[in-house]
Amino acid sequence: MSAAFVSVEDLSIAYGGFQAVDRVSFGIDAGEQVTLLGPSGCGKTTTLRAVAGLERPSAGRILIDGKPAFDGAHGLDTPPEKRNLSMVFQSYAIWPHMTVFENVAFPFRVRGRPSVETRAAVERALALVDLARFAERPATMLSGGQQQRVALARAVAFGTKLVLLDEPLSNLDAQLRLQMRDELADLRKRLGFTALYVTHDQEEAFSLSDHIVVMRGGRIEQAGRPQEIYRNPQSRFVAEFLGMRNIIPCELAGTGEGARLPDGTVLRGRDVAPGTAIEDAAIAFRPGDVRLDDKPGEGQGGSGVVARSLFVGDVQHVFLRSGPVELCAHVRPRPGLDEGRTLFWRVTPEDCLILRK
Ligand SMILES: Nc1ncnc2c1ncn2[C@@H]1O[C@H](COP(=O)(O)OP(=O)(O)OP(=O)(O)O)[C@@H](O)[C@H]1O
Ligand SMILES: [Mg+2]
């Protein structure tokens, strides 16, 4: 592996007696994106702000481009403006009294850059986010998505090698969000900057990242490539957070012998690494991996009565009950999924994960 462009080592940040970030370590290779993913309050923003130099850690080390930016043991703390990075905040933080051009030019102005250089760079950045024609408009006379693009242009215009993004898409509606997500991926590919990204949205994390760091309560719960984390969550917390909505307590025999559900159904699944951080053994699978039929069929599964059936557009959320077992299936909407019906559900061993104590 190449030397990391950003290296966060044993980072701890305390607010009074409260440990907001607790011995967090990860690296970002040059040109790659690492995403901090986790529920509200888990320490994502605090970690990002520490990398930016806006938060003073209580311990640990942060290296950027090989140089220490923070070193708790040696009392070293480089100020934000010397860290050579740019940041996009959750609220787009554009300046309302400035035009689009002036907003993007702002970092150049505070650094006293010549206006010829500034103009060229700003025009290039605005073209990248498709806003060149709005350069002279007051920034407030833009839609939310366009304002977000101004913030992005400002972050990339200066050509810093490291860009920090804190939920940059969270203020956008669903459709714009998807569009901006693609644009962001494209922009990073074209410009090649290294990115540290923060979100609580798993789809955003999966689609944009080279590596994902799942955080919980200030600590790293699991880190790895998107596919790896999606396929092999190492704890009940990560499984749940990544959409394994069906986590059913079960009795386990030996490895590969299957799991007995409380209603007697036996399912086989993939064993994850032992030592999974759960209280009770469980079998986990995603609602989208469940098939529903009117008749019993091939493969493993059981039957249940539809307790609730929710139409949400592309999919129907069907909740089945079989004795003490409840499970959820996401299937294509069709007739015959009504409440009160008895349906047969199927899930392949490949899609089931055994979570051992
Ligand atoms: N200035 C502060 N003083 C005291 N506690 C703080 C401060 N800033 C953050 N915290 C606490 O530290 C923890 C982590 O906060 P942080 O903002 O990093 O969470 P987050 O993961 O970014 O959450 P969200 O997804 O809601 O933005 C939270 O419990 C928060 O209440
Ligand atoms: Mg935050």
Side-chain angles (χ1 to χ4, degrees):
M1 218 168 90
S2 57
F5 186 77
V6 175
S7 178
V8 171
E9 300 167 2
D10 275 326
L11 187 74
S12 291
I13 302 162
Y15 294 117
F18 175 70
Q19 201 68 31
V21 175
D22 193 7
R23 283 163 291 157
V24 161
S25 301
F26 61 90
I28 316 174
D29 284 349
E32 298 220 314
Q33 172 165 326
V34 166
T35 296
L36 306 178
L37 174 69
S40 184
C42 71
K44 306 180 296 291
T45 295
T46 307
T47 304
L48 184 109
R49 284 173 54 83
V51 174
L54 301 169
E55 210 71 61
R56 197 187 166 87
S58 35
R61 219 156 70 109
I62 299 169
L63 294 141
I64 299 173
D65 203 0
K67 293 180 283 289
F70 176 83
D71 191 338
H74 295 92
L76 181 124
D77 193 10
T78 311
E81 65 276 11
K82 297 255 168 67
R83 294 194 182 193
N84 200 16
L85 48 83
S86 53
M87 201 166 159
V88 182
F89 297 92
Q90 181 167 346
S91 54
Y92 6 94
I94 52 159
W95 287 285
H97 56 286
M98 294 183 190
T99 65
V100 168
F101 184 94
E102 288 162 349
N103 259 280
V104 180
F106 190 77
F108 294 83
R109 194 137 329 129
V110 293
R111 288 169 173 94
R113 289 309 173 98
S115 60
V116 178
E117 176 202 329
T118 302
R119 177 155 292 277
V122 171
E123 279 170 1
R124 197 175 71 103
L126 285 177
L128 276 172
V129 298
D130 197 23
L131 284 180
R133 64 192 181 285
F134 294 126
E136 296 313 321
R137 243 198 219 186
T140 43
M141 289 172 65
L142 294 174
S143 73
Q146 289 164 339
Q147 292 186 23
Q148 188 69 70
R149 269 150 51 195
V150 173
L152 264 179
R154 190 176 55 203
V156 302
F158 208 71
T160 51
K161 288 195 254 174
L162 176 61
V163 180
L164 312 181
L165 304 110
D166 190 356
E167 311 230 14
L169 310 182
S170 62
N171 279 329
L172 307 177
D173 66 48
Q175 199 186 340
L176 251 180
R177 210 181 162 120
L178 286 183
Q179 186 191 329
M180 283 297 298
R181 195 177 82 190
D182 292 346
E183 283 178 23
L184 201 56
D186 191 49
L187 204 59
R188 194 167 64 80
K189 244 176 238 147
R190 278 189 286 163
L191 299 179
F193 55 82
T194 304
L196 177 59
Y197 194 97
V198 160
T199 185
H200 58 261
D201 183 292
Q202 51 156 317
E203 257 187 51
E204 225 168 276
F206 284 134
S207 60
L208 289 171
S209 322
D210 296 291
H211 279 91
I212 294 176
V213 174
V214 183
M215 291 182 71
R216 176 194 195 184
R219 297 191 181 175
I220 293 181
E221 182 88 358
Q222 189 174 346
R225 298 219 171 252
Q227 289 89 338
E228 217 171 273
I229 292 212
Y230 183 83
R231 198 175 137 79
N232 290 320
Q234 295 285 309
S235 68
R236 187 186 173 115
F237 173 82
V238 177
E240 255 172 350
F241 194 71
L242 298 188
M244 286 204 153
R245 200 155 156 189
N246 295 307
I247 300 186
I248 303 172
C250 61
E251 276 175 33
L252 294 177
T255 301
E257 281 179 33
R260 182 178 296 277
L261 274 47
D263 71 346
T265 308
V266 175
L267 296 178
R268 287 173 190 282
R270 293 184 290 118
D271 259 297
V272 294
T276 302
I278 56 167
E279 304 71 42
D280 299 299
I283 187 150
F285 48 93
R286 294 190 161 83
D289 292 331
V290 180
R291 264 189 35 213
L292 294 181
D293 288 301
D294 300 327
K295 301 185 287 292
E298 293 286 296
Q300 61 175 10
S303 65
V305 177
V306 178
R308 205 147 58 90
S309 195
L310 275 180
F311 172 69
V312 293
D314 288 342
V315 286
Q316 183 98 10
H317 294 186
V318 182
F319 298 84
L320 289 184
R321 188 165 293 148
S322 161
V325 174
E326 277 182 58
L327 61 94
C328 176
H330 293 176
V331 296
R332 280 203 70 81
R334 59 175 154 88
L337 301 172
D338 322 304
E339 286 163 24
R341 285 242 191 184
T342 295
L343 293 174
F344 295 86
W345 59 273
R346 294 278 170 272
V347 62
T348 69
E350 182 57 21
D351 291 330
C352 291
L353 209 61
I354 306 274
L355 300 172
R356 284 180 190 277
K357 267 198 254 202

